[in-house]
Amino acid sequence: MPALRSLRSLTLAFLAAFLIAVALTGFATHRAMQRAIVDLVDKRIAAISDDILRDSPPGDARAIAAHIASVSRERDTGDIGMMLSDARGRRLAGNVRLTRPLPRGYATLASSDRIAGLSAGRALVRDAGGGLTLTTIAETEPIDKEGVARGRPYLFGFGAIVAIVVIGVVLFVSLVSRRIGEVRETARAIIDGDMQRRLPVDPAGGAFAEQAATFNRMLDRIAGLMAEISNVSNDIAHDMRTPLARLRGRLALIARRPEAARLHDEIAEAIAQCDALLAMFAATLRIAEVEGGDRRAGFASLDLGALVAEFGEMMAPVAAETGHRLVIGRCDPARVSGDRQLLSQALMNLVENALRHTPAGATITLDVADTGNEAALTVRDDGPGIPVAERARALRRFGRLEPSRNRAGHGLGLPLADAVARLHRGALTLGDAAPGLIVTIRLPLDRA
Amino acid sequence: MNLLLVEDDEGYAATLAEELRALDHQVTIAPTGGAALQIADREPFDAAIIDRLLPQMDGTAVLRRLRESGKMLPVVMLSALGRSAEKVEGLEAGADDYVVKPTPAAELDARLKALLRGRQWTAGGGGDTIRVRDITVSPARFRAWRGERPLDLVRLELNLLAELARNAGTVLTRAMLIERVWGYDFEPTTNIVDVQIRALRRKLMADGEDDPIVTVRGVGYMLRD
């Protein structure tokens, strides 16, 4: 899906942001849980040490020790670790032993403190009066590896959320890209000349269905406009060619009359001018037909090199008639998909242009080169060429360049060749052969 | 020939009919498809020229009805449009030849005569061996002889000779030859046919024989039969 680059980066950015948000949320929730547990434990050990110290006179080690003992015997406080120590830190009573001195207040204990049965916990160290210190300890993880067990629901829960979201996004993106692909395919078919194509419209409605329906209405409008243009062009063909034909017919009949014998040449010239007009007409209609795109339907695979070589062989003696030299250069075999007749016509136009616009003695060279990804057909002459500034005009219909205005030909040869190149999904360019003109038609190779 | 001209443009029909009459044909004009079918029922015709764009009934529809009623006379279809798709349609509907308006009467005349001699419009023609006087052409085997002498012809020359031979005794116009031998659907402005005929003539007469190709000025070429 290379064309969906921005959709993909959007999707990836969303997924990245989502994953970060989920991770942060999971982390924060976990931490909050931890803090809550620590708070609860802190409150518990505070309450128990309160109980012990409240019931004993301050500084009375024996009373305190007795309370410690009774607390540790009771079931709901049997897990509490307590230690009474003197001012020098010596342990006087209790059921735990500390390996390191703890400051007054709360502290966190871990398995490195090597208190039997404790993997993680909290300690509260307070003054018991008379220089005595009471330390109360409780576990924050009463069951070993509880942390890992507690972590697992997070993994599964958030993991499931992430999986669902990723799947949902992937499905969404694939749906959108499928719709986009449909539009692109339909547009491509239309461009190729299949005017009947339309997008499928989901009868259930929705944003995609509305877009498809609107797109189809646009295509209907385009098809309608094209039909109108085609009708206009048909009408012109019918309505204008016919009077011209009538005129020509009338002249031909006049030429047959005996009294017209002495005007024979003038009448022949008039008939020739009619024919030139009709040829211009035919060329215009042909360009319109080529630009319509319908002829793509009849494309077949052909060898451009062979076509040009045969053409060159045939045209060489024709060129010799006017003192020109037609040379067949290299003609690589090059498979293209196209219309044999249109390509021959384009080639004929280019060669006839060269014959018409170069003096006797000039050389015209035909080449076909396979450049790997396209076929390049060149018609090169060593005549006067076309100045850079006038090349664009030469490609326009009827864009005759000044000096040639009086010569035969209707000025539509290049525009037709250009239209044929474009129909074949290629391009025509004019260049300087130094000296002379070089016309290049590049066509994509047929990969089939 | 007795011709039926089906054309709705009065002026054009009148001029064309006059031109054809000047070439010794009898021409009956029918301005609509309906009139044409009625007239065709009453009178036998040697050939018909039918315009594609007729009011009410399309030229191809008229042609189809003619063929359905068993009238197999040769038909040349005329059209102001030159689209290849329409030409294929016309030929598929049963036309023997398809020509873009306007065509000189001489061109129509040549085509009608060629059709009447029983040669149908086929691209490239068949591959069977053709014999005309001392010339033998075998398109399938890509060989040709004048008498005993084999002729060294390139493909285009062979196809040209074959087409002339197949229609020996009939004039083939330049337009017809370009369509059938070159396979082009356009008219070049240079005289490619003349040049090729000249080359062919040289090869045919290489041993000093006479020229079997006749040039009919203003119309085309013919192989003597």
Side-chain angles (χ1 to χ4, degrees):
Chain A
M1 303 197 291
L4 291 175
R5 226 171 278 282
S6 68
L7 185 64
R8 169 182 285 176
S9 55
L10 203 70
T11 310
L12 290 175
F14 168 74
L15 283 177
F18 171 71
L19 283 170
I20 291 172
V22 163
L24 285 177
T25 306
F27 183 64
T29 311
H30 191 257
R31 271 199 63 144
M33 278 293 293
Q34 288 295 96
R35 288 207 68 90
I37 290 172
V38 163
D39 275 351
L40 284 172
V41 169
D42 285 350
K43 288 199 175 65
R44 188 169 174 229
I45 53 181
I48 291 169
S49 75
D50 276 348
D51 281 345
I52 296 174
L53 293 178
R54 198 183 331 118
D55 296 339
S56 325
D60 187 347
R62 269 195 325 124
I64 297 173
H67 272 110
I68 289 176
S70 83
V71 163
S72 68
R73 273 197 301 270
E74 282 175 44
R75 208 153 61 98
D76 59 345
T77 49
D79 62 319
I80 301 288
M82 292 156 286
M83 184 175 88
L84 186 66
S85 40
D86 67 7
R88 290 207 299 266
R90 271 190 317 172
R91 182 171 171 262
L92 300 174
N95 55 6
V96 296
R97 201 175 285 279
L98 290 176
T99 51
R100 61 176 170 117
L102 293 173
R104 292 276 161 91
Y106 292 96
T108 304
L109 298 175
S111 51
S112 55
D113 290 303
R114 277 192 244 129
I115 297 171
L118 181 135
S119 47
R122 289 286 280 175
L124 177 58
V125 178
R126 53 200 299 190
D127 182 18
L132 298 175
T133 309
L134 174 66
T135 306
T136 320
I137 296 173
E139 287 185 287
T140 49
E141 253 179 61
I143 304 170
D144 279 352
K145 307 245 192 279
E146 185 188 325
V148 174
R150 224 186 301 128
R152 233 177 270 150
Y154 281 100
L155 226 57
F156 286 148
F158 283 91
I161 292 176
V162 167
I164 289 171
V165 169
V166 168
I167 291 172
V169 166
V170 165
L171 285 177
F172 178 72
V173 166
S174 88
L175 172 71
V176 169
S177 65
R178 202 175 33 246
R179 290 276 177 264
I180 292 176
E182 272 172 18
V183 175
R184 191 174 56 238
E185 264 321 297
T186 304
R188 190 179 294 151
I190 305 271
I191 289 168
D192 269 359
D194 177 9
M195 286 310 301
Q196 306 311 315
R197 282 261 244 166
R198 295 291 182 271
L199 283 177
V201 177
D202 185 355
F208 283 128
E210 274 176 40
Q211 187 225 20
T214 307
F215 192 77
N216 285 345
R217 275 203 303 280
M218 175 185 75
L219 293 177
D220 288 339
R221 178 98 176 96
I222 291 177
L225 285 171
M226 284 179 66
E228 278 176 37
I229 290 176
S230 170
N231 284 343
V232 167
S233 155
N234 289 352
D235 290 346
I236 289 178
H238 196 241
D239 295 348
M240 283 183 65
R241 267 178 144 170
T242 316
L244 265 173
R246 231 182 291 156
L247 175 63
R248 194 200 183 281
R250 186 124 302 280
L251 283 170
L253 283 170
I254 290 173
R256 296 179 77 95
R257 294 215 209 121
E259 58 268 39
R262 55 197 175 81
L263 291 171
H264 185 265
D265 287 344
E266 280 87 343
I267 297 175
E269 171 62 29
I271 292 179
Q273 288 191 6
C274 269
D275 285 340
L277 275 173
L278 290 165
M280 198 187 298
F281 225 98
T284 307
L285 286 175
R286 173 53 60 97
I287 293 180
E289 184 191 357
V290 168
E291 287 181 342
D294 288 347
R295 283 190 77 147
R296 274 207 191 112
F299 273 15
S301 181
L302 56 93
D303 182 350
L304 191 63
L307 189 151
V308 171
E310 265 178 51
F311 181 87
E313 248 184 69
M314 187 248 318
M315 283 302 281
V318 178
E321 296 262 300
T322 45
H324 290 89
R325 210 166 73 97
L326 183 68
V327 173
I328 305 167
R330 97 191 227 210
C331 280
D332 294 346
R335 244 167 227 260
V336 299
S337 172
D339 183 317
R340 176 167 227 102
Q341 289 177 332
L342 284 178
L343 287 171
S344 299
Q345 186 169 8
L347 196 50
M348 178 69 77
N349 283 0
L350 294 177
V351 170
E352 284 180 343
N353 270 2
L355 290 173
R356 210 176 298 130
H357 295 121
T358 59
T363 303
I364 300 165
T365 314
L366 306 177
D367 286 280
V368 174
D370 178 341
T371 67
N373 45 4
E374 57 184 14
L377 157 64
T378 53
V379 177
R380 196 177 359 126
D381 67 61
D382 56 4
I386 301 180
V388 183
E390 303 188 23
R391 283 185 204 151
R393 188 144 55 102
L395 285 177
R396 274 212 324 262
R397 274 170 240 209
F398 305 113
R400 298 272 291 273
L401 309 176
E402 267 322 309
S404 69
R405 205 165 269 280
N406 296 322
R407 275 185 251 190
H410 42 58
L412 290 172
L414 263 180
L416 177 64
D418 181 45
V420 169
R422 278 182 282 118
L423 180 77
H424 286 72
R425 295 186 229 276
L428 181 151
T429 46
L430 301 175
D432 192 350
L437 178 70
I438 177 165
V439 184
T440 309
I441 293 183
R442 273 177 236 278
L443 300 180
L445 289 169
D446 187 9
R447 294 263 175 244
Chain B
M1 283 189 250
N2 192 13
L3 300 173
L4 175 61
L5 172 58
V6 189
E7 167 63 66
D8 65 317
D9 181 322
E10 278 180 33
Y12 181 66
T15 316
L16 184 58
E18 220 185 306
E19 282 186 90
L20 288 168
R21 284 181 194 123
L23 292 166
D24 287 332
H25 298 289
Q26 286 153 281
V27 184
T28 310
I29 302 175
T32 64
L37 292 168
Q38 280 181 351
I39 296 172
D41 269 337
R42 284 198 314 251
E43 211 184 307
F45 286 96
D46 297 316
I49 302 169
I50 305 180
D51 185 19
R52 182 87 200 259
L53 291 171
L54 293 168
Q56 292 151 19
M57 204 192 268
D58 190 71
T60 46
V62 177
L63 177 53
R64 261 183 259 266
R65 294 270 280 274
L66 273 177
R67 297 289 185 236
E68 276 161 23
S69 64
K71 298 192 182 50
M72 304 315 282
L73 72 169
V75 168
V76 176
M77 191 138 255
L78 283 185
S79 173
L81 310 165
R83 292 178 194 224
S84 52
E86 275 134 12
K87 179 167 186 173
V88 169
E89 266 175 40
L91 294 170
E92 277 174 2
D96 300 279
D97 207 345
Y98 192 100
V99 155
V100 176
K101 243 179 1 179
T103 302
E107 180 78 38
L108 275 172
D109 176 56
R111 287 178 188 250
L112 286 166
K113 288 195 172 110
L115 284 178
L116 219 61
R117 287 188 67 137
R119 323 290 180 201
Q120 291 252 312
W121 189 98
T122 42
D128 306 329
T129 306
I130 310 142
R131 261 171 268 270
V132 178
R133 294 167 90 215
D134 62 343
I135 296 173
T136 312
V137 190
S138 169
R141 286 190 297 154
F142 196 63
R143 313 265 294 280
W145 298 262
R146 181 123 201 229
E148 296 298 315
R149 175 169 69 91
L151 297 167
D152 176 25
L153 303 175
V154 300
R155 186 149 65 102
L156 200 60
E157 289 163 345
L158 191 93
N159 290 341
L160 180 55
L161 182 59
E163 191 61 32
L164 286 167
R166 250 180 249 120
N167 292 273
T170 317
V171 182
L172 296 179
T173 62
R174 278 177 196 80
M176 288 160 89
L177 288 170
I178 286 178
E179 257 173 49
R180 301 176 186 200
V181 177
W182 274 260
Y184 291 164
D185 63 349
F186 58 92
E187 265 194 64
T189 58
T190 46
N191 52 350
I192 62 177
V193 178
D194 301 332
V195 169
Q196 205 64 246
I197 292 275
R198 212 169 309 147
L200 183 59
R201 269 186 172 135
R202 266 199 305 272
K203 293 194 180 173
L204 284 170
M205 307 192 306
D207 258 2
E209 302 105 320
D210 67 337
D211 183 4
I213 299 178
V214 177
T215 305
V216 180
R217 263 197 48 178
V219 189
Y221 299 98
M222 179 182 86
L223 193 68
R224 260 187 251 271
D225 66 346

